[in-house]
Amino acid sequence: MTDVQTTTETSDDLTASYDAVIVGAGFAGMYMLHKLRWLGFTARVYDAAGGVGGTWYWNRYPGARCDVQSLDYSFSFDSELEQEWEWTEKFSTQPEILRYANHVADRYDLWQDMQFNTRIEAAHFDEGAGRWIVRTDQGDVVSAQHVVMAVGTLSTPKLPETPGIETYQGETYQTQKWPHEGVDFTGRRVAVIGTGSSAIQSIPLIAEQAAHLTVFQRTPNFSMPAGNRLLDADEVAERRADYPAYRQMARESFFGIPIPGEPKMAFEVSDDERDATYQAGWEAGNLVALIGAYGDILFDKAANDTAAEFIRSKIRDIVDDPEVAEDLCPTDYPVGTKRPCLDTNYYATFNRPNVRLVNLRKTPITQLTPQGIDTSEESFEFDAIVYATGFDAMTGSLVAVNVRGVGGVELKEAWSDGPMTYLGLAVSGFPNFYTVTGPQSPSVLSNMMVSIEQHVDWIADCMVYMRDNGYSTIECTPEDQLAWVEHSSELGDQTLYPLANSWYMGANVPGKPRVFLPYIGGVGPYREKCDQVAANGYEGFKLA
Ligand code: FAD
Ligand code: NAP
């Protein structure tokens, strides 16, 4: 796509006109469409995928499942939907979550306003008309008053920058774009590169099938047992009976997942009490039980060390070979500052005779070869390589679109030193343009369903306010945006997050500015701020 092509678009090219174009048909785009249509707006959803579900459409690797419990990781906007859908497991599998997404699309008849296998390439703001001109890779050019970017925070896959990657002749797979027909590794020599959440879920299952599995680990992760199990009919009935109150607690909570009681600080209790609390957190099978056990774990290094050491002691207990155990122990960043993981038999998998761990800190990969992978010490041959190497998170899918706002300024340029948003929802210079779970909102630090619903509701309310009051454009002011970015970054600096080379910090993508991308003020307080902005007539925005 070139500038010449995009600037020659005129209103004569238009094939359709909508109140809103929604980019993405994951949970965010689906709910946005439903809500806008219900409010009487016209909207069209575009997705590069062949169906709904976003994350759950693409990430079909073995073992893929949610790690926020299904009874939490689901929509709350319609009590009938909440009551009728049957989750079978504590942490549902990708196929079950995808079935849920399809059920939602059927139930609310979303299909008619969705277009698949269609990528949005450009969105340019036409200042004269006060509308966006949006272009797809299928030749559609449509006009919309509003553009909602429901493009996902973990939707632009990233491969390693390893020399020779294109020369490898065997089969290659990416966890983030797994073949729909599945992969049979029986009898194969398989490599997995990466040890993040996707690798931690897939490694135990690949190991069960492959003749031999070699795991290439650059940074070990802290993982806790998921304790997955079938859901019990009584617990489901109990939750269903209590859903309204429970969901409200989630909305007011810090992570979008209710944690009962006010946590103490780690050193307010005895060593024995702390260990007992960590043991309970370890057994809870809950992403935030251990890191949320004390109020200072994410803020105070000494407090954090106690939790980190507890998990390291578990790794040493589980893994038979002491050297492998040490290689699997994270030591150079605080627990919680890279996204924690929940697993099923991850550490125990390294006790299998057909599994080997290669610690890239000791022997880095030097190149990929036609046969396999070379490290500084060894040449490996593989039948298949699995890249579990993550995403250009939070900003990747936003800047991949050629978005041009007022004065033709490109979003990618505007964000060249890091993203600048107001509330993680809006960008100065880009009127009527919204980012669902955007940078500088709680987003990836939360149960994403709670954050998605909050953003969709806020955006829809904003559009209704504009319609009711005769406004055609809304744009946040540069001053309020800057104040929000500074506030978000100050809060981030008070935590331990900046100590890790994580995707939260943009550190996994070479050249990406190192800034703390999400907002750590907590889901509940953040929601209050957004509500207050709306109640004050969209404080911080210019309406015209
Ligand atoms: P997505 O589901 O990412 O959907 C975005 C869609 O936009 C994609 O289908 C993509 O194709 C489309 N798109 C992007 N750019 C364009 C474009 N230019 N043109 C057209 N289409 C475009 N979160 C949790 O809270 N709990 C969990 O347990 C959890 N588990 C996860 C497991 C995995 C494997 C991954 C990768 C993420 C997980 N997440 C989890 C985060 C997850 O991404 C969110 O929970 C949620 O599914 C995001 O929904 P979304 O609609 O915002 O984005
Ligand atoms: P990730 O957490 O970013 O992990 C990527 C892994 O690849 C890391 O171990 C990384 O090492 C490694 N890596 C990247 N480039 C490499 C290179 N050049 N050489 C060697 N190793 C390299 O990605 P992910 O596992 O896909 O998970 C992303 C996020 O999606 C998660 O954090 C989570 O939010 C979500 N998710 C959730 C679940 C779930 O349980 N429900 C499952 C999957 C994903 P470094 O750490 O050294 O960079």
Side-chain angles (χ1 to χ4, degrees):
M1 185 178 49
T2 66
D3 289 352
V4 177
Q5 269 176 305
T6 50
T7 49
T8 54
E9 277 153 15
T10 70
S11 45
D12 297 341
D13 301 321
L14 294 178
T15 49
S17 180
Y18 304 101
D19 291 326
V21 156
I22 300 164
V23 192
F27 287 130
M30 293 171 74
Y31 178 41
M32 192 79 242
L33 174 64
H34 170 63
K35 178 103 193 191
L36 289 184
R37 280 199 328 203
W38 186 71
L39 291 166
F41 292 102
T42 59
R44 188 146 184 91
V45 171
Y46 296 90
D47 202 307
V52 294
T55 288
W56 307 102
Y57 174 89
W58 294 108
N59 294 262
R60 299 176 189 232
Y61 59 82
R65 55 176 81 239
C66 54
D67 60 2
V68 168
Q69 297 184 28
S70 306
L71 292 172
D72 295 64
Y73 188 68
S74 48
F75 282 127
S76 74
F77 67 82
D78 182 341
S79 63
E80 286 182 17
L81 171 66
E82 211 167 51
Q83 295 294 327
E84 81 196 3
W85 181 260
E86 297 285 346
W87 294 110
T88 60
E89 293 182 60
K90 179 179 168 190
F91 297 108
S92 293
T93 59
Q94 171 273 329
E96 185 162 302
I97 303 171
L98 188 57
R99 277 200 294 283
Y100 175 72
N102 278 280
H103 171 76
V104 171
D106 289 342
R107 195 182 199 290
Y108 303 103
D109 194 17
L110 300 181
W111 303 108
Q112 57 182 303
D113 293 311
M114 293 182 146
Q115 185 170 323
F116 298 106
N117 301 305
T118 305
R119 183 168 287 283
I120 299 299
E121 290 193 326
H124 293 180
F125 189 65
D126 176 343
E127 287 172 55
R131 292 177 68 86
W132 287 89
I133 297 180
V134 180
R135 187 158 58 79
T136 78
D137 65 355
Q138 302 300 309
D140 314 88
V141 182
V142 303
S143 153
Q145 186 184 355
H146 304 270
V147 167
V148 180
M149 298 296 272
V151 291
T153 52
L154 295 158
S155 51
T156 294
K158 203 199 139 285
L159 285 172
E161 304 70 28
T162 312
I165 189 165
E166 68 295 341
T167 65
Y168 176 64
Q169 301 285 307
E171 292 168 15
T172 57
Y173 300 99
Q174 287 179 249
T175 51
Q176 327 91 331
K177 288 189 195 171
W178 202 260
H180 291 198
E181 63 282 9
V183 182
D184 185 359
F185 289 116
T186 308
R188 305 288 187 87
R189 297 162 305 167
V190 182
V192 172
I193 302 182
T195 49
S197 302
S198 303
I200 281 176
Q201 286 188 328
S202 55
I203 281 168
L205 294 175
I206 297 175
E208 281 176 16
Q209 205 178 51
H212 194 274
L213 172 65
T214 309
V215 176
F216 291 85
Q217 171 192 275
R218 189 165 65 184
T219 313
N221 245 301
F222 290 98
S223 186
M224 293 162 289
N228 191 38
R229 54 178 169 75
L230 291 178
L231 283 170
D232 178 83
D234 289 345
E235 71 184 310
V236 174
E238 200 180 313
R239 177 61 56 78
R240 280 185 178 155
D242 187 37
Y243 247 142
Y246 185 84
R247 298 289 203 186
Q248 191 52 30
M249 276 196 308
R251 291 181 196 115
E252 290 167 9
S253 70
F254 197 83
F255 293 114
I257 304 169
I259 308 179
E262 269 297 300
K264 295 180 182 162
M265 298 299 145
F267 294 111
E268 274 176 24
V269 301
S270 68
D271 292 356
D272 286 350
E273 183 180 335
R274 211 166 40 241
D275 272 354
T277 304
Y278 289 153
Q279 181 64 30
W282 176 263
E283 288 167 13
N286 176 332
L287 207 51
V288 294
L290 211 150
I291 59 168
Y294 294 104
D296 48 357
I297 288 181
L298 291 172
F299 298 88
D300 177 71
K301 180 70 170 55
N304 190 285
D305 284 344
T306 62
E309 192 48 38
F310 177 86
I311 299 180
R312 285 191 287 265
S313 74
K314 292 290 184 190
I315 299 172
R316 293 178 187 121
D317 283 350
I318 299 169
V319 179
D320 297 338
D321 181 326
E323 198 182 333
V324 176
E326 282 319 305
D327 284 345
L328 285 165
C329 283
T331 52
D332 61 359
Y333 64 93
V335 59
T337 58
K338 279 169 99 83
R339 170 73 155 58
C341 306
L342 291 186
D343 71 86
T344 303
N345 299 329
Y346 175 64
Y347 294 117
T349 295
F350 293 91
N351 295 334
R352 293 176 65 101
N354 69 332
V355 176
R356 173 166 170 199
L357 180 71
V358 176
N359 181 344
L360 300 179
R361 291 280 166 80
K362 292 179 181 164
T363 58
I365 294 178
T366 52
Q367 61 172 351
L368 262 69
T369 66
Q371 293 75 34
I373 297 175
D374 283 358
T375 65
S376 55
E377 287 209 338
E378 251 178 285
S379 281
F380 295 84
E381 291 189 4
F382 297 111
D383 302 310
I385 297 180
V386 174
Y387 298 110
T389 44
F391 301 86
D392 181 353
M394 298 210 73
T395 55
S397 295
L398 290 167
V399 299
V401 179
N402 182 290
V403 181
R404 288 185 188 271
V406 173
V409 173
E410 194 182 350
L411 185 68
K412 194 174 177 179
E413 280 303 307
W415 285 8
S416 56
D417 293 332
M420 302 280 289
T421 75
Y422 181 45
L423 304 171
L425 267 166
V427 186
S428 174
F430 298 81
N432 301 358
F433 178 84
Y434 314 86
T435 52
V436 181
T437 62
Q440 287 130 14
S441 76
S443 183
V444 292
L445 295 179
S446 70
N447 171 358
M448 291 287 277
M449 288 302 229
V450 173
S451 292
I452 285 170
E453 287 194 331
Q454 187 245 333
H455 268 189
V456 167
D457 290 342
W458 192 96
I459 293 165
D461 287 349
C462 173
M463 286 172 58
V464 169
Y465 178 85
M466 290 171 69
R467 183 174 64 186
D468 290 352
N469 292 281
Y471 293 116
S472 58
T473 59
I474 185 165
E475 182 190 343
C476 63
T477 70
E479 298 78 22
D480 287 273
Q481 173 173 277
L482 185 61
W484 182 257
V485 173
E486 285 176 354
H487 165 62
S488 181
S489 142
E490 271 163 28
L491 287 190
D493 286 344
Q494 288 165 24
T495 72
L496 301 173
Y497 282 98
L499 298 181
N501 288 322
S502 65
W503 59 256
Y504 292 141
M505 299 296 302
N508 65 326
V509 178
K512 192 165 171 172
R514 190 184 172 94
V515 291
F516 184 53
L517 294 166
Y519 178 71
I520 185 68
V523 164
Y526 169 81
R527 172 187 296 266
E528 268 178 37
K529 169 69 183 172
C530 292
D531 289 350
Q532 187 192 29
V533 162
N536 292 342
Y538 292 87
E539 201 172 16
F541 288 92
K542 286 178 294 186
L543 286 140

